[in-house]
Amino acid sequence: MDIQNIKSQLTITEVLAYYNLQIKKKHVNCPFHEDKTPSMQVFLDSNSVYCYSGNCSKSGKPIDVIDFIMHKEQITKHEAIKKAASFLHQDTKENTIQNTNPLNKTFSILKNQLTRSRNATAYLQTRGLSKLKAVGSNHRSGNDKIQYKYPHLKNCLVFPLKDSKNQIVSFYGRSFKNDIRNTHFYTSNRQGLYPEYPNLETHHLILTESIIDAATLVLHAKLPKHTHVLACYGTNGFTKSHTEAIKQLKQLQIISIFFDGDTAGHKASVKLQSQLQQAFTTLTIQIIDTPKDEDINSLWINNESQELFTHYLQTKIPAAEKQPADNTKPTITLTIKGSVKHLGDSLKVTLQSQIEQKSIIQKLDVYDFTALQKHAKDASKRLELSEDLILKAWQDYVPTLEQTQTKPTTPQKKPLEKATQEQCISFLKDPNLLQRINIAIEKVGVVGEENTRLLLFIIATSYQSKQPLHGLIQGSSGSGKTKLLQSIYNLIPKEDSKSFTRVTESSFYNYNEESLRHKLLCFEDIDGLKEEALLALRELQSNGKLISSTSQKQESGKIQSVERLVKGPIASLSCTTKGDYYEDNISRCFVVAVDETAAQTRKIINYQNQLASGNINLKEATKTKYFIANCLRQLQPCQVVNPYATAIQLPQNIHKLRRLHSMYQVLVAQITYLHQYQRKKDTQGRLITTPQDLQYACDILLDSILLKIDELDGSLRQFYEALKTHFKPKGETYTFNRFEIMQKTKISKTQLHRNLNKLVELEYIQQYGYANRGYTYKIVHWDQYDVLKDKIQKDLQAQINTIKS
């Protein structure tokens, strides 16, 4: 062995340990001078030491393993080389191959690091392998470059895997941390064998289940001459490299399979015995009868007996008697689970493959051969059949799959019994339909707010329209806006509605093309949606579709841009606590404010008391939900024509009048749609709007129109009106503090602070004083809100009266 090979294989830590020099914090006491404080530093990367003491004759230059031996033994360099070679138990003339393999240097560093890891050395000791030399450690405080290159080998004992030329070609890592489920790791493109390729004179080959077991046999068993050990990489880890190595052993007579004594080990042993017997018919293939729940390493730890290994290596389970050749191939039963999706360049199916009592269910794309091979490998282990046989069965089944392909189906309307249909149609023919619907909404738990709840119901039912409506429910925290939304949502057929508490940024773009088409979407807290999700929602509301460009990997591996389409239109209901909600969103919606007045609070508390005392018939509420949903199922999509569309003019000072006017026309059409069993049709089959429909729309929409005009949002307007009601009798110059307001309005401190600041900002009230002494307030703008409301109502009513006359 030449000098370079010795330096690459003999570690400085082994040399220091030989001379009883203990490494502490990368330093040792220098043996070449009196050294009370360790002054010699150990460099694992370069496999050398360096003394920094000015009193040392060897100071000033690095000392490698051969020079260290030469100086310590006070011998010649030639003698030091021989001594170093003896450490490796090899003759210096045995190997003259130049060591150009970078993995040898890496492993040398890992060997040097072993003594620095208490966890690694302790683990080896618990496994009875503390005297093992061909092992390294890749712990967290080790070499940074190696940590970076082999991150999956962190906190692992590292074993070298070698090729037929005895060169390291990859690594195996065994975790010495107990908090990791997976304890086995390999470097990418695993190759090579452990501990090395067998000698060509090998007569007896022992196959172990793991590398730890192989190391145990090599270290502790009295193996006869011409006996060699090879580790498999688990129960299914007998590789092509093992087969090729065995083929080179012309003098081989016996192969012993020494796997674990558990169910998996016994099963794998029998399978491997059969595989080897078919491949090497002239050899004796025997199975070692390992005790139950034991393995090679545990046998040594529990007994520490070399004679025990000798005993087990002499016992065997005879190979199964050869049966007459059976040319009948096993039959694999294939069963489709769920639907078959044919997408042009892919054919996807969930398939159950079964033979006798063994089966496996897998999601397959039978057009993707590369992925199919990987799935066949998994199925092979489960079914104990060859991968080729499983692949052939799958591919032979493709024509059947192509004929049974299914297309995504949209949910169908729930079929109803004839008596139920007649009852629903009778309800829809009632001249007081909207009043009866309003009563039904009250039965499911919404008290008060008659116009608000009816408007929300009409908006929700517009999902079948080509131009659906959208509603935004404003209210402070705890005002009951979510309850209002959920009550309306529960009246809509489940196949036509979706409710969300959270929406991720790109989730709308990932729906199937028809998943949102003509659906009602409800958002319990739209304030939590991020801008990307809000943008998608606005596009669905305005344009009725989403078109996105995304990258997709083709079967060839090439990345190609593709378009994804998600179709609308949708109707929507949302809740928000923000009065100044994002302008682009609020302008697309009818805005309704939750009634937060004291009178409404008394109604809600009374309902809650009735509910708690058992006076509310919950079964009746459930029955009402199903009945209204069934009524909506009886409505058929149809066009509406409004002959009075030009006769109604909304107030001209409304913000974004064009959009509101369009929404108003759709609301009228939706009211006509709900009355389709009562309205006449024109010659084209279109429903004809009546003046009564206009009356309904104006009555229901009045508060929402006022919110469009008002610069105060709904809850703020209610708060301001309460202030005016309470303090106007005291005079328009009366000043008040926050405690008077809280006593009158009964709102929370946070909401009070927010409302006062907003009114001061808008110059409706004026603030006096200082924060440390307490502020006082005075109303300085007494607007005529009630007068404005009355004027708009009278103006709209006059227009309707003109139509009726």
Side-chain angles (χ1 to χ4, degrees), residues 546-627:
L546 289 175
I547 303 176
S548 59
S549 176
T550 184
S551 298
Q552 181 173 306
K553 190 174 184 179
Q554 304 299 308
E555 193 171 344
S556 63
K558 182 180 178 181
I559 304 296
Q560 185 174 344
S561 294
V562 296
E563 287 186 359
R564 286 184 60 87
L565 172 64
V566 180
K567 291 182 179 179
I570 64 163
S572 70
L573 292 178
S574 311
C575 293
T576 179
T577 57
K578 296 180 179 179
D580 50 353
Y581 189 66
Y582 191 50
E583 176 65 21
D584 280 352
N585 289 59
I586 205 169
S587 63
R588 290 170 167 80
C589 306
F590 285 117
V591 183
V592 297
V594 176
D595 188 350
E596 300 182 47
T597 62
Q600 175 63 15
T601 301
R602 287 193 293 271
K603 290 181 183 179
I604 293 174
I605 291 174
N606 180 60
Y607 176 83
Q608 292 172 343
N609 291 338
Q610 294 295 321
L611 184 64
S613 60
N615 294 329
I616 302 295
N617 190 339
L618 296 178
K619 290 184 178 180
E620 182 67 22
T622 302
K623 183 179 178 181
T624 300
K625 293 177 187 177
Y626 286 119
F627 178 73

XYZ file of all heavy atoms in Angstrom, residues 546-627:
637
model
N -63.183 32.811 -14.564
C -61.765 33.028 -14.248
C -60.939 32.337 -15.322
O -61.139 31.149 -15.595
C -61.402 32.447 -12.880
C -61.942 33.163 -11.632
C -61.570 32.359 -10.392
C -61.383 34.564 -11.544
N -60.019 33.051 -15.914
C -59.096 32.460 -16.887
C -57.678 32.727 -16.378
O -57.273 33.884 -16.227
C -59.264 33.056 -18.288
C -60.708 32.885 -18.772
C -58.298 32.409 -19.273
C -60.986 33.541 -20.110
N -56.943 31.679 -16.095
C -55.586 31.841 -15.563
C -54.595 31.073 -16.424
O -54.920 30.022 -16.995
C -55.501 31.357 -14.113
O -55.870 29.992 -14.017
N -53.397 31.609 -16.532
C -52.306 30.938 -17.237
C -51.379 30.330 -16.200
O -50.960 31.007 -15.259
C -51.535 31.939 -18.106
O -50.426 31.313 -18.728
N -51.078 29.051 -16.354
C -50.226 28.367 -15.387
C -49.270 27.431 -16.116
O -49.455 27.152 -17.310
C -51.077 27.573 -14.379
O -50.226 26.992 -13.386
C -51.859 26.462 -15.068
N -48.244 26.980 -15.430
C -47.253 26.067 -16.011
C -47.606 24.639 -15.652
O -48.005 24.355 -14.524
C -45.854 26.405 -15.493
O -45.489 27.706 -15.877
N -47.438 23.750 -16.618
C -47.763 22.346 -16.402
C -46.694 21.470 -17.038
O -46.279 21.707 -18.169
C -49.137 22.035 -17.007
C -49.585 20.594 -16.803
C -51.017 20.393 -17.279
O -51.932 21.101 -16.872
N -51.211 19.430 -18.150
N -46.265 20.468 -16.303
C -45.236 19.558 -16.802
C -45.871 18.515 -17.708
O -46.805 17.818 -17.318
C -44.515 18.880 -15.636
C -43.271 18.102 -16.049
C -42.517 17.580 -14.824
C -41.230 16.892 -15.242
N -40.476 16.391 -14.065
N -45.359 18.416 -18.937
C -45.878 17.452 -19.891
C -45.261 16.079 -19.646
O -44.305 15.920 -18.900
C -45.585 17.923 -21.316
C -46.135 19.309 -21.618
C -47.636 19.380 -21.483
O -48.357 18.577 -22.060
N -48.115 20.350 -20.708
N -45.818 15.070 -20.317
C -45.302 13.715 -20.158
C -43.856 13.613 -20.602
O -43.076 12.815 -20.085
C -46.176 12.744 -20.970
C -45.921 11.286 -20.640
C -46.943 10.380 -21.303
O -47.994 10.880 -21.755
O -46.677 9.179 -21.379
N -43.459 14.442 -21.568
C -42.074 14.440 -22.051
C -41.119 15.086 -21.062
O -39.907 15.019 -21.232
C -42.011 15.197 -23.384
O -42.389 16.560 -23.200
N -41.649 15.731 -20.028
C -40.813 16.422 -19.059
C -40.723 17.915 -19.326
O -40.232 18.666 -18.491
N -41.201 18.362 -20.465
C -41.142 19.772 -20.825
C -42.220 20.563 -20.080
O -43.337 20.109 -19.922
C -41.346 19.914 -22.336
C -41.260 21.351 -22.842
C -41.481 21.402 -24.355
C -41.455 22.846 -24.870
N -41.694 22.914 -26.321
N -41.843 21.764 -19.602
C -42.790 22.648 -18.935
C -43.489 23.506 -19.981
O -42.837 24.158 -20.792
C -42.083 23.542 -17.903
C -41.319 22.679 -16.886
C -43.087 24.438 -17.208
C -42.203 21.798 -16.048
N -44.814 23.496 -19.966
C -45.577 24.229 -20.965
C -46.675 25.048 -20.289
O -47.273 24.627 -19.304
C -46.214 23.248 -21.962
C -46.943 23.930 -23.115
C -47.421 22.915 -24.143
O -46.964 21.777 -24.149
N -48.326 23.327 -25.005
N -46.910 26.244 -20.809
C -47.964 27.099 -20.274
C -49.328 26.627 -20.797
O -49.478 26.326 -21.979
C -47.743 28.554 -20.687
O -46.576 29.073 -20.088
N -50.304 26.543 -19.892
C -51.660 26.136 -20.263
C -52.650 27.101 -19.624
O -52.335 27.779 -18.646
C -51.971 24.689 -19.798
C -51.078 23.694 -20.502
C -51.812 24.562 -18.284
N -53.843 27.167 -20.201
C -54.898 28.015 -19.654
C -55.875 27.166 -18.851
O -56.235 26.066 -19.265
C -55.652 28.738 -20.770
C -54.881 29.869 -21.417
C -55.722 30.639 -22.413
O -56.900 30.257 -22.601
O -55.213 31.612 -22.985
N -56.278 27.703 -17.694
C -57.297 27.051 -16.871
C -58.526 27.954 -16.830
O -58.414 29.163 -16.629
C -56.793 26.797 -15.454
C -55.795 25.659 -15.346
C -55.435 25.414 -13.888
N -56.607 25.075 -13.103
C -57.097 23.840 -12.958
N -56.478 22.832 -13.558
N -58.153 23.602 -12.215
N -59.685 27.363 -17.015
C -60.936 28.119 -17.023
C -61.841 27.623 -15.907
O -62.047 26.418 -15.746
C -61.638 27.942 -18.374
C -63.057 28.522 -18.487
C -63.031 30.037 -18.327
C -63.691 28.120 -19.817
N -62.326 28.540 -15.105
C -63.339 28.244 -14.091
C -64.559 29.091 -14.430
O -64.490 30.320 -14.445
C -62.834 28.574 -12.667
C -63.915 28.247 -11.641
C -61.559 27.802 -12.355
N -65.673 28.436 -14.706
C -66.859 29.141 -15.171
C -67.757 29.576 -14.025
O -67.872 28.893 -13.018
C -67.663 28.240 -16.122
C -66.986 27.975 -17.452
C -67.877 27.113 -18.335
C -67.234 26.843 -19.685
N -68.089 25.979 -20.542
N -68.387 30.737 -14.194
C -69.447 31.222 -13.335
C -70.730 31.133 -14.130
O -70.844 30.281 -15.022
N -71.662 32.001 -13.892
C -71.622 33.049 -12.877
C -71.961 32.515 -11.499
O -72.413 31.381 -11.346
C -72.693 34.020 -13.371
C -73.683 33.136 -14.065
C -72.888 32.036 -14.709
N -71.768 33.354 -10.466
C -72.088 32.994 -9.098
C -72.927 34.101 -8.469
O -72.862 35.253 -8.882
C -70.812 32.805 -8.258
C -70.042 34.136 -8.156
C -69.937 31.694 -8.806
C -69.021 34.197 -7.054
N -73.707 33.731 -7.477
C -74.291 34.693 -6.549
C -73.475 34.597 -5.262
O -72.837 33.570 -5.002
C -75.756 34.371 -6.288
N -73.474 35.654 -4.461
C -72.658 35.607 -3.244
C -73.269 36.430 -2.127
O -73.935 37.435 -2.373
C -71.234 36.101 -3.529
O -71.204 37.482 -3.789
N -73.018 35.965 -0.895
C -73.339 36.695 0.325
C -72.091 36.710 1.201
O -71.427 35.673 1.347
C -74.496 36.043 1.086
C -75.886 36.077 0.453
C -76.882 35.332 1.328
C -76.350 37.521 0.248
N -71.776 37.876 1.765
C -70.563 38.003 2.567
C -70.835 38.841 3.795
O -71.723 39.694 3.795
C -69.439 38.658 1.750
O -69.287 38.060 0.493
N -70.026 38.596 4.847
C -70.100 39.393 6.070
C -68.827 40.199 6.245
O -67.728 39.729 5.897
C -70.283 38.488 7.289
S -71.861 37.639 7.345
N -68.954 41.405 6.796
C -67.777 42.236 7.068
C -68.041 43.110 8.286
O -69.183 43.511 8.538
C -67.409 43.116 5.862
O -66.269 43.916 6.192
C -68.541 44.033 5.478
N -66.977 43.375 9.025
C -67.064 44.340 10.126
C -66.561 45.702 9.699
O -66.642 46.668 10.457
C -66.214 43.857 11.322
O -64.861 43.666 10.892
C -66.752 42.558 11.884
N -66.007 45.779 8.488
C -65.405 47.026 8.013
C -66.452 47.886 7.318
O -67.054 47.467 6.334
C -64.257 46.732 7.047
C -63.100 45.987 7.696
C -61.997 45.715 6.694
C -60.838 44.986 7.339
N -59.750 44.681 6.369
N -66.634 49.081 7.834
C -67.560 49.995 7.195
C -67.015 50.527 5.894
O -67.739 50.716 4.908
N -65.714 50.778 5.862
C -65.079 51.310 4.652
C -64.471 50.172 3.854
O -63.295 50.186 3.512
C -64.014 52.345 5.020
C -63.048 51.825 6.076
O -63.301 50.721 6.614
O -62.054 52.518 6.362
N -65.295 49.152 3.579
C -64.810 47.973 2.872
C -64.316 48.336 1.477
O -64.766 49.316 0.896
C -65.951 46.932 2.789
C -65.513 45.596 2.261
C -64.642 44.802 2.979
C -65.969 45.138 1.040
C -64.243 43.575 2.509
C -65.578 43.908 0.549
C -64.703 43.136 1.296
O -64.302 41.927 0.811
N -63.398 47.536 0.962
C -62.724 47.813 -0.298
C -63.722 48.232 -1.387
O -64.671 47.533 -1.686
C -61.937 46.578 -0.733
C -60.989 46.806 -1.887
C -60.088 47.875 -1.875
C -60.992 45.967 -2.984
C -59.220 48.080 -2.927
C -60.124 46.157 -4.037
C -59.237 47.218 -4.012
O -58.374 47.427 -5.050
N -63.500 49.395 -1.979
C -64.455 50.046 -2.875
C -64.876 49.151 -4.039
O -66.060 49.061 -4.377
C -63.856 51.350 -3.404
C -64.722 52.059 -4.418
C -66.033 52.552 -3.840
O -66.104 52.710 -2.604
O -66.986 52.756 -4.604
N -63.905 48.463 -4.681
C -64.227 47.631 -5.844
C -65.147 46.473 -5.472
O -65.868 45.957 -6.322
C -62.944 47.084 -6.485
C -62.276 48.122 -7.367
O -62.895 49.184 -7.574
O -61.150 47.889 -7.827
N -65.087 46.032 -4.219
C -65.962 44.944 -3.793
C -67.349 45.469 -3.424
O -68.366 44.891 -3.787
C -65.357 44.218 -2.590
C -64.145 43.398 -2.980
O -63.175 43.934 -3.484
N -64.205 42.101 -2.748
N -67.394 46.567 -2.675
C -68.677 47.057 -2.166
C -69.572 47.584 -3.290
O -70.804 47.533 -3.205
C -68.418 48.147 -1.090
C -69.610 48.222 -0.138
C -68.129 49.496 -1.706
C -69.330 49.064 1.091
N -68.969 48.084 -4.360
C -69.764 48.633 -5.453
C -70.454 47.560 -6.268
O -71.362 47.838 -7.034
C -68.872 49.475 -6.377
O -67.874 48.671 -6.977
N -70.041 46.301 -6.124
C -70.663 45.198 -6.848
C -71.823 44.585 -6.071
O -72.461 43.655 -6.541
C -69.626 44.105 -7.129
C -68.578 44.484 -8.156
C -67.449 43.448 -8.186
N -66.606 43.635 -9.360
C -65.654 44.537 -9.468
N -65.417 45.359 -8.454
N -64.913 44.646 -10.566
N -72.047 45.062 -4.844
C -72.974 44.384 -3.943
C -74.097 45.310 -3.475
O -73.919 46.522 -3.376
C -72.236 43.872 -2.698
S -70.811 42.820 -3.042
N -75.224 44.696 -3.144
C -76.206 45.373 -2.325
C -75.691 45.332 -0.893
O -75.390 44.256 -0.363
C -77.569 44.664 -2.397
C -78.310 44.902 -3.674
C -78.601 43.861 -4.544
C -78.723 46.184 -3.997
C -79.290 44.082 -5.718
C -79.428 46.420 -5.185
C -79.693 45.367 -6.048
N -75.611 46.496 -0.277
C -75.087 46.572 1.083
C -76.255 46.640 2.062
O -77.157 47.478 1.906
C -74.174 47.803 1.270
C -73.586 47.823 2.678
C -73.062 47.781 0.231
N -76.241 45.757 3.053
C -77.269 45.797 4.104
C -76.562 45.918 5.447
O -75.491 45.346 5.658
C -78.166 44.541 4.078
C -78.918 44.456 2.774
C -77.355 43.282 4.308
N -77.145 46.672 6.332
C -76.572 46.869 7.668
C -77.400 46.111 8.684
O -78.639 46.168 8.675
C -76.545 48.352 8.015
N -76.709 45.370 9.550
C -77.405 44.657 10.617
C -78.017 45.680 11.573
O -77.377 46.673 11.944
C -76.416 43.736 11.370
C -77.114 43.064 12.548
C -75.850 42.696 10.430
N -79.240 45.453 11.955
C -79.924 46.344 12.888
C -79.323 46.157 14.284
O -79.474 45.106 14.910
C -81.422 46.013 12.902
C -82.227 47.023 13.711
O -81.615 47.858 14.411
O -83.472 46.973 13.644
N -78.639 47.190 14.779
C -77.993 47.111 16.088
C -78.675 48.012 17.106
O -78.096 48.364 18.140
C -76.513 47.486 15.967
C -75.737 46.567 15.027
C -74.247 46.903 14.944
O -73.622 47.100 16.011
O -73.721 46.968 13.809
N -79.926 48.374 16.841
C -80.666 49.240 17.759
C -81.087 48.458 19.004
O -81.127 47.223 19.022
C -81.912 49.806 17.072
O -82.784 48.720 16.711
C -81.535 50.591 15.833
N -81.455 49.197 20.030
C -81.885 48.578 21.284
C -83.163 47.763 21.079
O -83.343 46.701 21.684
C -82.110 49.660 22.348
N -84.055 48.252 20.223
C -85.314 47.543 19.970
C -85.032 46.159 19.352
O -85.649 45.159 19.744
C -86.212 48.363 19.051
N -84.112 46.102 18.368
C -83.764 44.830 17.753
C -83.067 43.916 18.758
O -83.301 42.702 18.765
C -82.859 45.064 16.530
C -82.334 43.802 15.874
C -83.426 42.920 15.289
O -84.574 43.352 15.125
N -83.075 41.681 14.980
N -82.233 44.490 19.616
C -81.562 43.689 20.636
C -82.588 43.027 21.553
O -82.446 41.847 21.917
C -80.603 44.569 21.472
O -79.640 45.158 20.595
C -79.904 43.753 22.539
N -83.642 43.758 21.917
C -84.693 43.182 22.771
C -85.392 42.026 22.063
O -85.733 41.012 22.688
C -85.693 44.269 23.166
C -85.163 45.260 24.200
C -86.279 46.111 24.782
N -86.852 47.002 23.770
C -86.402 48.228 23.513
N -85.354 48.699 24.186
N -86.991 48.983 22.592
N -85.612 42.149 20.750
C -86.241 41.062 19.990
C -85.367 39.799 20.013
O -85.875 38.681 20.196
C -86.466 41.495 18.545
C -87.537 42.546 18.351
C -87.677 42.884 16.874
C -88.704 43.992 16.645
N -88.827 44.342 15.211
N -84.081 39.994 19.810
C -83.159 38.851 19.777
C -83.092 38.181 21.147
O -83.120 36.947 21.252
C -81.760 39.313 19.316
C -81.806 39.769 17.854
C -80.737 38.195 19.490
C -80.512 40.383 17.355
N -82.996 38.988 22.208
C -82.924 38.425 23.558
C -84.203 37.662 23.891
O -84.167 36.572 24.486
C -82.676 39.547 24.588
C -81.253 40.111 24.400
C -82.860 39.027 26.014
C -80.954 41.309 25.267
N -85.329 38.202 23.482
C -86.612 37.509 23.707
C -86.624 36.159 22.981
O -87.071 35.146 23.537
C -87.771 38.385 23.232
C -89.113 37.708 23.446
O -89.498 37.384 24.570
N -89.838 37.472 22.352
N -86.126 36.142 21.733
C -86.061 34.875 20.986
C -85.141 33.874 21.699
O -85.478 32.686 21.820
C -85.567 35.123 19.560
C -85.385 33.856 18.756
C -86.474 33.260 18.118
C -84.143 33.248 18.650
C -86.319 32.083 17.392
C -83.965 32.078 17.927
C -85.065 31.496 17.299
O -84.902 30.331 16.592
N -83.993 34.348 22.161
C -83.048 33.474 22.856
C -83.666 32.898 24.129
O -83.453 31.726 24.456
C -81.765 34.243 23.173
C -80.950 34.609 21.946
C -79.783 35.543 22.261
O -79.755 36.168 23.326
N -78.846 35.659 21.325
N -84.426 33.721 24.823
C -85.108 33.242 26.034
C -86.137 32.177 25.692
O -86.274 31.163 26.399
C -85.777 34.413 26.762
C -84.763 35.355 27.378
O -83.609 34.971 27.630
N -85.178 36.597 27.636
N -86.902 32.428 24.619
C -87.905 31.452 24.185
C -87.252 30.130 23.775
O -87.767 29.051 24.061
C -88.716 32.023 23.015
C -89.591 33.221 23.356
C -90.698 32.855 24.329
O -91.291 31.781 24.245
N -90.976 33.755 25.272
N -86.096 30.250 23.116
C -85.365 29.052 22.686
C -84.856 28.265 23.890
O -84.983 27.035 23.944
C -84.185 29.472 21.792
C -83.353 28.341 21.167
C -84.208 27.522 20.207
C -82.137 28.920 20.428
N -84.302 28.986 24.868
C -83.763 28.322 26.054
C -84.862 27.664 26.887
O -84.644 26.624 27.520
C -82.997 29.339 26.900
N -86.045 28.238 26.891
C -87.145 27.681 27.688
C -87.893 26.578 26.960
O -88.852 26.011 27.505
C -88.119 28.806 28.082
O -88.668 29.424 26.927
N -87.500 26.284 25.723
C -88.121 25.189 24.981
C -89.391 25.555 24.271
O -90.150 24.668 23.837
N -89.663 26.846 24.136
C -90.905 27.283 23.483
C -90.764 27.394 21.962
O -91.748 27.686 21.290
C -91.348 28.625 24.063
C -91.745 28.506 25.525
O -92.233 27.459 25.955
N -91.517 29.565 26.293
N -89.558 27.226 21.438
C -89.335 27.269 19.989
C -89.314 25.838 19.458
O -88.573 24.981 19.961
C -88.014 27.972 19.652
C -87.982 29.393 20.219
C -87.790 27.985 18.141
C -89.001 30.324 19.622
N -90.110 25.570 18.461
C -90.189 24.240 17.863
C -89.062 24.083 16.841
O -89.175 24.546 15.696
C -91.554 24.047 17.199
C -91.773 22.606 16.768
O -90.830 21.837 16.605
N -93.045 22.244 16.589
N -87.971 23.461 17.269
C -86.811 23.309 16.380
C -87.105 22.361 15.221
O -86.551 22.516 14.133
C -85.600 22.813 17.182
C -85.074 23.776 18.260
C -83.900 23.161 19.011
C -84.657 25.098 17.627
N -87.965 21.376 15.445
C -88.340 20.467 14.355
C -89.072 21.225 13.257
O -88.884 20.960 12.070
C -89.200 19.328 14.886
C -88.443 18.334 15.756
C -89.336 17.172 16.166
C -88.555 16.158 17.004
N -89.412 15.019 17.423
N -89.887 22.179 13.668
C -90.614 23.000 12.699
C -89.642 23.853 11.888
O -89.817 24.052 10.680
C -91.621 23.885 13.417
C -92.474 24.756 12.513
C -93.429 23.943 11.646
O -93.738 22.780 12.012
O -93.868 24.462 10.607
N -88.582 24.362 12.563
C -87.560 25.156 11.865
C -86.834 24.317 10.829
O -86.617 24.757 9.685
C -86.573 25.731 12.878
N -86.482 23.087 11.199
C -85.806 22.190 10.257
C -86.721 21.851 9.083
O -86.288 21.829 7.914
C -85.374 20.895 10.977
O -84.510 21.238 12.069
C -84.635 19.965 10.023
N -87.957 21.585 9.389
C -88.935 21.267 8.339
C -89.079 22.437 7.366
O -89.179 22.250 6.145
C -90.268 20.934 8.992
C -91.351 20.505 8.017
C -92.641 20.165 8.763
C -93.752 19.787 7.800
N -95.018 19.480 8.518
N -89.070 23.656 7.901
C -89.202 24.859 7.065
C -88.002 24.996 6.126
O -88.154 25.357 4.950
C -89.325 26.106 7.949
O -90.481 25.976 8.782
C -89.446 27.361 7.101
N -86.792 24.717 6.619
C -85.580 24.795 5.782
C -85.705 23.874 4.572
O -85.465 24.273 3.425
C -84.346 24.400 6.595
C -83.975 25.361 7.699
C -82.783 24.811 8.480
C -82.495 25.667 9.705
N -81.384 25.106 10.515
N -86.098 22.616 4.830
C -86.219 21.658 3.740
C -87.328 22.065 2.758
O -87.188 21.895 1.537
C -86.490 20.251 4.281
C -85.279 19.604 4.914
C -85.288 19.242 6.250
C -84.132 19.366 4.169
C -84.175 18.647 6.836
C -83.024 18.778 4.742
C -83.047 18.418 6.077
O -81.947 17.846 6.638
N -88.417 22.599 3.308
C -89.545 22.955 2.444
C -89.164 24.099 1.499
O -89.451 24.027 0.291
C -90.752 23.346 3.301
C -91.943 23.776 2.480
C -92.695 22.848 1.773
C -92.286 25.118 2.395
C -93.781 23.254 0.997
C -93.372 25.528 1.627
C -94.118 24.590 0.935
